Amino acid sequence: MEKTAKDTMVLAGRIRIAVQGKVTSAIGHGLRMLIRDLHTVLGEMPEMGSHPTGWAQIVIRYVLPEDGCPDEPEAFGFRFKESASGPCMEIIGRDELALVYGMLYFTERYLGVQPFWFWADQCLPQQKRIEIACESYDSLPSKVRFRGWFVNDEVCLIGWKEPYPPTREVWLHVFEALLRCRGNMVIPGTDLPKTGVHFEVAEEMGLWITHHHAEPLGAEMFLRAYPGKNASYKEAPELFERLWTKAIEKQKDKKILWVLSFRGQGDKPFWENDPSFDTPEKRGAMISRVIRKQYDMIGAAVKEPVYCAALYGEIAELYKEGYVELPDDVIKVWADNGYGRMVSRRHGNLNLRIPSLPAEEDTGKHGIYYHVTFHDLQASNHLTMFPGSAAFIRQEVEGAFAAGADQYLLLNCGNIRPHVYMLDLLRVLWNEGKVDAEAHLEQFVSSYYTSGLKELAGLYRSYTEAAVAYGPNPDDLAGDEYYHHPARRIIGHWLQGQGAVADERLLWATGECSFLEQVRSFEQRCSEGLAQWTAWLDRCDKVIAGLAEEDKQRAADHLRFHGALHRSGCEGFLWLCRAYAAYAEGRYPQAFVCASLSMRGYEEGLHVLRAAEHGKWNRFYSADWLTNIESTVRNVDTVRRFLRMHGDSPEFFLWYKEFLMPETEKHIYLENTHRNPLSDDELAERLHAHFEQNGQLL
């Protein structure tokens, strides 16, 4: 069945796999995935262990001197040997992660298993035989030494399955995708209970663990450990250091990228808890002192530690101004603004957009913390795909590499499933250092779809063109949170009777103007967005209709889903703004109808979430607590109840009588037979038809 090793070997039926050397937990996970993929594609469960002759078709082993494999961490390759029993393929690696990468690359290259096969519901047809050219292969080194994900704002992963925190089943799929991207580090979740298995599974699978910038050294939060105490390092350094010592002791023998930092409790500047630090000099001196202390404590306990310092938010600004000093061997990690631009992030209405990259004279090692998803209670994308283009991300990340920030790339991956396209783009960037965005798009589409490839690529490409531009900068593109958090702020401001003054919390989006003008500003943006997203969805539906059956659901989940959430948000927000405008003019029945149309628009977003929860994805969006579409729906329902009190109360029959009751009945009806008030939904529907017919709605 097999030809000579110099030509081609054939894998078919029951494959024999052998491992030379110790099977560590990471290698064990790699074998689990290799065996599963061979079983899926060839239809037979592989056999572990060599033939009595010592032969196996696939051998997993560490590199030998004669292999000529590159002498670099995580380097792997393929070698072929011929024997009397047949050809043998050897997957070789410098270390355990290298062997895992080698096994996963084997299943990608020869079995067609793509990095996001699970998250994108890739179809893997069975094959009778796999032909492999017997040619040696050596991996190329990744551009970025430390590269991985921050599984952040992971509410979908939390709500997907019933147990909390997320189970091993969830984390296995998350970390497998990361390993398939050749990622090697992770922050496995955000402030999850220590009873969870997230750290344990990440460590088992061979990943480096790193820390959130608000939890330096991975230590417990001060106020959680010492409730009621003042979180001031100046007042109680020994309490902070006790937590750091405990964290170091727990992790000192593990693969850790130690994050040095000093932010306040709840991920904010520490001086909000300690206002005596009222100058940049004082703040920078304290941060420098704390980081040096953390650095020395780790150095005394850990052999050859790897240090990072998160230059995030106010720390980046203080560092650039020369107020923060860092040891030379610390990797300085710069951050984008949450919208993909390598500038400082917006704080409320303050948006300085200070460049967030090392200067030419800034020596040492540098890296970046980058977002393809974000949660900021303003305009970020959380449930939906990154609204910017692949070309924009390529420009920003390649620019960071050119500035020397290429030692570390921590990518905020959110809940994985909504973001696979951009996560795959970053996979190429952190491995190869550059990417042809168009070539990558074609490759991505052809990897996960079997039909309509040109049309699907056009939808991915034009997605960013439909996005709502809420500001003057190229990264000022609205994600799903834009339609919900500002809307709920408007509702709160309105119903608290503060409409006479502008809502200062919305100035970032509208600039200085009256509250009515703020509302009108959002109305204008959403009116444009509604037209754009409606046109994009029409195009999307035509493409999906022409796809092969196996591609239709995938395109609905990974393309239409995002446009439908945007369209729902635009429509809901647009009618909410119109409701306020009608209210401000004293046109309360029309305002009630507009609020009802707003509620209907937002409810469509809930239907979109539910439609995407089929099969294994049942409940996936059930914990939408951040964008929180359901909360917006309830808020708008409160608005229309409030509006019905303006002229229809207390009988809740007066608008029916004024606008809907036949003229012949208005003066002769008996109250005891005509006083069953219509529900809000029915009244809104009938008033809508009446006002539309008479041109009285807007």
Side-chain angles (χ1 to χ4, degrees), residues 272-568:
E272 291 189 17
N273 298 105
D274 200 339
S276 65
F277 291 88
D278 53 2
T279 68
E281 292 84 356
K282 293 179 183 178
R283 295 166 179 174
M286 176 56 77
I287 292 170
S288 301
R289 175 187 167 194
V290 169
I291 286 179
R292 170 55 74 171
K293 181 64 178 179
Q294 295 169 348
Y295 177 91
D296 290 340
M297 291 173 68
I298 295 167
V302 179
K303 184 180 180 181
E304 298 181 352
V306 182
Y307 302 99
C308 310
L311 301 182
Y312 192 70
E314 72 285 348
I315 297 181
E317 294 162 14
L318 290 168
Y319 177 81
K320 273 191 166 288
E321 293 165 358
Y323 297 116
V324 171
E325 294 181 2
L326 298 173
D328 292 338
D329 58 342
V330 172
I331 301 173
K332 294 175 277 293
V333 181
W334 304 83
D336 75 307
N337 63 348
Y339 295 81
R341 185 74 170 173
M342 292 305 299
V343 296
S344 58
R345 66 170 290 190
R346 182 169 56 233
H347 296 279
N349 295 319
L350 183 64
N351 194 12
L352 299 177
R353 296 181 66 84
I354 298 171
S356 183
L357 284 173
E360 286 187 18
E361 64 275 12
D362 201 344
T363 59
K365 297 179 180 180
H366 299 267
I368 61 172
Y369 170 41
Y370 200 75
H371 295 78
V372 296
T373 174
F374 192 42
H375 167 60
D376 71 345
L377 311 178
Q378 290 186 334
S380 50
N381 70 298
H382 170 67
L383 296 173
T384 56
M385 189 161 47
F386 185 79
S389 68
F392 170 78
I393 287 183
R394 177 197 61 78
Q395 171 187 298
E396 291 300 304
V397 175
E398 288 185 9
F401 292 163
D406 60 359
Q407 284 292 306
Y408 175 109
L409 199 167
L410 180 66
L411 180 61
N412 193 313
C413 66
N415 295 285
I416 321 297
R417 188 187 180 204
H419 312 296
V420 292
Y421 172 43
M422 291 307 182
L423 291 176
D424 196 71
L425 182 79
L426 267 295
R427 170 186 67 86
V428 177
L429 279 164
W430 74 26
N431 283 316
E432 300 180 15
K434 60 183 179 180
V435 67
D436 180 325
E438 280 300 306
H440 171 264
L441 175 57
E442 292 177 9
Q443 177 272 327
F444 177 83
V445 170
S446 64
S447 295
Y448 294 101
Y449 298 91
T450 63
S451 59
L453 304 185
K454 181 179 178 181
E455 293 78 8
L456 288 166
L459 289 174
Y460 277 101
R461 191 181 299 112
S462 58
Y463 175 81
T464 187
E465 298 167 10
V468 172
Y470 66 84
N473 303 299
D475 49 302
D476 291 340
L477 298 178
D480 46 282
E481 295 200 339
Y482 178 80
Y483 317 112
H484 296 274
H485 290 284
R488 296 199 293 264
R489 290 199 185 280
I490 284 172
I491 291 170
H493 198 75
W494 172 6
L495 299 193
Q496 291 168 29
Q498 299 181 41
V501 296
D503 188 339
E504 292 188 0
R505 302 168 299 178
L506 298 175
L507 296 181
W508 62 270
T510 66
E512 294 282 354
C513 58
S514 69
F515 181 60
L516 179 58
E517 289 170 327
Q518 287 183 311
V519 173
R520 289 294 193 192
S521 174
F522 282 107
E523 179 187 357
Q524 177 62 30
R525 304 284 190 192
C526 289
S527 177
E528 296 167 359
L530 181 60
Q532 291 161 193
W533 285 114
T534 298
W536 188 87
L537 277 174
D538 288 345
R539 180 180 173 187
C540 189
D541 288 339
K542 291 176 183 176
V543 171
I544 291 176
L547 296 179
E549 286 302 316
E550 67 182 49
D551 289 327
K552 287 182 177 179
Q553 186 65 63
R554 189 175 305 107
D557 290 343
H558 292 277
L559 278 165
R560 195 185 194 286
F561 170 88
H562 303 277
L565 281 185
H566 279 285
R567 189 192 184 283
S568 161

Side-chain angles (χ1 to χ4, degrees), residues 678-692:
L678 298 178
S679 69
D680 289 343
D681 287 338
E682 186 176 358
L683 178 63
E685 185 175 346
R686 295 180 64 174
L687 284 177
H688 182 205
H690 172 79
F691 292 142
E692 283 279 274

Side-chain angles (χ1 to χ4, degrees), residues 78-296:
F78 302 148
R79 299 291 185 268
F80 295 87
K81 287 184 177 180
E82 179 66 32
S83 73
S85 301
C88 168
M89 180 179 188
E90 298 179 321
I91 300 175
I92 62 174
R94 286 282 173 193
D95 47 50
E96 65 171 8
L97 260 185
L99 290 176
V100 173
Y101 293 152
M103 286 183 271
L104 294 180
Y105 183 61
F106 169 89
T107 72
E108 179 182 349
R109 180 170 177 172
Y110 299 116
L111 306 183
V113 182
Q114 296 302 315
F116 294 97
W117 70 270
F118 176 85
W119 300 94
D121 296 298
Q122 180 192 5
C123 295
L124 284 171
Q126 281 199 358
Q127 303 180 51
K128 290 185 178 180
R129 50 188 273 146
I130 303 293
E131 294 189 1
I132 299 175
C134 296
E135 300 171 352
S136 293
Y137 167 82
D138 287 311
S139 64
L140 295 174
S142 294
K143 170 67 175 178
V144 180
R145 174 64 186 96
F146 297 108
R147 52 203 182 274
W149 291 347
F150 180 11
V151 186
N152 188 29
D153 302 323
E154 67 278 21
V155 291
C156 296
L157 302 181
I158 289 171
W160 184 16
K161 308 293 182 181
E162 190 62 44
Y164 175 78
T167 62
R168 173 175 289 268
E169 175 190 2
V170 172
W171 292 115
L172 286 174
H173 288 300
V174 171
F175 301 147
E176 176 181 339
L178 175 55
L179 288 166
R180 287 188 176 276
C181 294
R182 286 182 66 186
N184 59 10
M185 72 170 176
V186 69
I187 302 178
T190 313
D191 196 30
L192 293 173
K194 298 190 182 301
T195 56
V197 297
H198 43 298
F199 283 107
E200 176 185 332
V201 178
E203 183 184 357
E204 279 180 17
M205 297 182 77
L207 292 163
W208 289 74
I209 307 296
T210 191
H211 309 124
H212 191 297
H213 54 256
E215 298 175 304
L217 284 62
E220 187 176 7
M221 288 281 194
F222 182 94
L223 290 180
R224 189 167 285 145
Y226 308 114
K229 295 279 189 181
N230 185 26
S232 168
Y233 184 77
K234 182 178 68 174
E235 293 179 11
E238 71 284 353
L239 297 183
F240 281 90
E241 291 166 19
R242 189 179 303 165
L243 296 176
W244 301 337
T245 298
K246 185 177 179 181
I248 293 169
E249 187 63 28
K250 181 178 180 180
Q251 302 171 87
K252 66 180 182 181
D253 298 321
K254 304 180 188 297
K255 290 165 60 175
I256 303 294
L257 281 86
W258 299 92
V259 171
L260 315 176
S261 184
F262 189 55
R263 300 202 79 206
Q265 303 297 291
D267 196 12
K268 59 188 178 184
F270 74 88
W271 51 85
E272 291 189 17
N273 298 105
D274 200 339
S276 65
F277 291 88
D278 53 2
T279 68
E281 292 84 356
K282 293 179 183 178
R283 295 166 179 174
M286 176 56 77
I287 292 170
S288 301
R289 175 187 167 194
V290 169
I291 286 179
R292 170 55 74 171
K293 181 64 178 179
Q294 295 169 348
Y295 177 91
D296 290 340

